[in-house]
Amino acid sequence: MKDLPVDSVLVVGSASVHTWRFLAGIAPHASKVYLACNGEVPEAWRPPNLAGTLQVDFGLRALGTARRLRDWVRQVRPAIVQVHQANSVAWHARRALTGLSVPWVLTAWGSDVLLLPRRGRWLRQMVSANLEAASAVTSDSLHMAAVIRALAPVARMEVVNFGMDALPAAPRLAEKPLNVLSCRLHKPLYRIDAIVRAWAEVEADPALAGWTLTVAASGEESGRLQALASSLGLSRLQFTGFVTPEVLAGLYQQARVFVSVPESDATSISLLEAMGHGCLPVLSNLPANLEWVLDGINGMIVEDVARLGAALRVALGRAADDAVLSGAAALNRRLVEQKGLHRPNMARFAALYRALLDGT
């Protein structure tokens, strides 16, 4: 244990697969880890060196959360605290850690700095204060880092993403069927309805008769999306509902095109997974997407989502060509290998912790 970068890490974050995945990923870099969360970590993500958990309420009305966190920090005495999201989670953590000699890292996820500050003056002030108070802030894209710096004078910034678990074996592109995959959550932010409407244009094109669309995942809009597809008379669209990571990996393997057009996004793990599996990405025109995809080179950037149908038709024509898809896939896999893998990126978080503890 002497060679590990950190003795103990306290992870503070909401009940999400991203928090749990981070917990499992950072655990090998510490002698022991702790978790403060508003839910129970699933057994699949529970590391063997998890020394304790604290269940708390991160709501803005839960005024006692900061005191409970502070008491627990004093009890377990972590070497460093890792806080996820600059929203109410960081608000509670900031108040809990004020006056304590424990360095803490705040990791922004996307909407907490890209959208939340726009919803009112008080929320903007809260997010800015959270960012300024942290010993270091991490962002998963250069664009989000620039937004953070505009919000607050951060002490230290690192650009690092959570990364996909591992790069799969090189895909057999010629064996991929003519299939498009959408796997973002069924929430208004992700505009799955735009994908469904665009697909109607694809089905109306006789030249694309062999193509199918798989809409994976689920959410509050699932029923409405299924009703929309039915009203449009779509026959080559399949809704799978929620799928396990193993099933999702199979869906990537069976897709030539990945489509994701949210209104706001940072570096999406779904995008990294699609790139790693040899899918041609079709993405909304967002700054974080532009850090991964050059329009017309290794994917397509849709400038106007209202014209997604036309963009999809072009993308499908390109992705049907094995040689074109092969060139894009090779570049995308190289990008993921160099900066989008989970294990080396967790090592970068551990190196940041060590630097903070060493004062370097």
Side-chain angles (χ1 to χ4, degrees):
M1 292 295 185
K2 291 181 180 179
D3 295 330
L4 293 174
V6 187
D7 174 63
S8 57
V9 178
L10 165 59
V11 176
V12 182
S14 58
S16 162
V17 65
H18 299 303
T19 299
W20 299 325
R21 188 165 173 262
F22 185 94
L23 176 72
I26 203 64
H29 300 280
S31 299
K32 52 185 177 290
V33 290
Y34 299 91
L35 174 67
C37 188
N38 58 345
E40 290 289 336
V41 57
E43 284 299 321
W45 298 107
R46 184 182 290 267
N49 59 340
L50 180 61
T53 62
L54 176 71
Q55 191 156 340
V56 294
D57 183 353
F58 290 125
L60 290 172
R61 296 180 183 273
L63 300 180
T65 294
R67 177 186 53 79
R68 293 189 62 211
L69 272 174
R70 187 181 184 88
D71 290 345
W72 202 49
V73 169
R74 284 173 166 164
Q75 176 186 337
V76 303
R77 301 176 65 186
I80 202 156
V81 177
Q82 167 68 59
V83 180
H84 287 285
Q85 296 191 85
N87 53 20
S88 62
V89 176
W91 180 64
H92 289 297
R94 167 168 59 89
R95 293 182 300 126
L97 295 168
T98 298
L100 302 182
S101 57
V102 183
W104 62 288
V105 175
L106 174 53
T107 292
W109 284 11
S111 60
D112 51 342
V113 296
L114 299 177
L115 297 181
L116 190 60
R118 302 179 188 175
R119 295 177 182 168
R121 182 178 177 181
W122 187 86
L123 290 173
R124 181 183 177 90
Q125 290 174 340
M126 178 192 72
V127 171
S128 297
N130 293 341
L131 294 167
E132 184 174 358
S135 307
V137 175
T138 76
S139 163
D140 65 17
S141 70
L142 290 168
H143 166 67
M144 191 161 69
V147 171
I148 289 169
R149 289 196 179 277
L151 286 168
V154 297
R156 180 171 184 159
M157 174 76 74
E158 295 287 340
V159 178
V160 56
N161 59 74
F162 292 176
M164 67 177 294
D165 286 335
L167 195 65
R172 298 179 178 179
L173 300 178
E175 297 179 9
K176 279 180 175 277
L178 301 178
N179 187 51
V180 179
L181 174 64
S182 164
C183 59
R184 308 304 298 272
L185 291 176
H186 298 178
K187 294 182 177 182
L189 173 69
Y190 295 105
R191 300 193 289 199
I192 310 300
D193 59 334
I195 297 173
V196 173
R197 290 189 177 91
W199 189 252
E201 297 184 39
V202 173
E203 289 205 8
D205 188 340
L208 301 173
W211 284 88
T212 59
L213 169 65
T214 299
V215 178
S218 58
E220 63 194 66
E221 291 201 315
S222 293
R224 189 173 73 84
L225 293 170
Q226 292 172 16
L228 175 62
S230 178
S231 70
L232 293 172
L234 301 180
S235 61
R236 304 202 306 271
L237 186 161
Q238 176 191 13
F239 289 94
T240 68
F242 173 79
V243 296
T244 64
E246 294 76 18
V247 172
L248 181 58
L251 295 179
Y252 286 124
Q253 291 168 6
Q254 295 297 305
R256 285 179 175 253
V257 173
F258 167 77
V259 57
S260 174
V261 291
E263 293 182 87
S264 176
D265 212 357
T267 294
S268 162
I269 299 301
S270 298
L271 171 59
L272 299 182
E273 292 173 339
M275 292 171 68
H277 280 91
C279 305
L280 185 75
V282 177
L283 310 172
S284 47
N285 187 14
L286 299 175
N289 288 337
L290 302 182
E291 295 178 30
W292 293 94
V293 170
L294 287 175
D295 182 44
I297 305 299
N298 60 329
M300 288 189 63
I301 301 296
V302 182
E303 188 277 326
D304 181 2
V305 174
R307 301 191 69 251
L308 177 59
L312 269 179
R313 289 158 64 190
V314 173
L316 269 50
R318 294 185 62 217
D321 185 322
D322 290 343
V324 172
L325 183 60
S326 178
L331 175 54
N332 286 336
R333 283 172 58 83
R334 188 158 63 249
L335 287 169
V336 172
E337 184 176 27
Q338 290 176 350
K339 63 175 186 173
L341 292 179
H342 185 63
R343 186 173 295 178
N345 286 357
M346 289 301 100
R348 289 184 60 192
F349 273 95
L352 172 60
Y353 298 165
R354 187 70 266 163
L356 290 173
L357 292 170
D358 291 344
T360 59

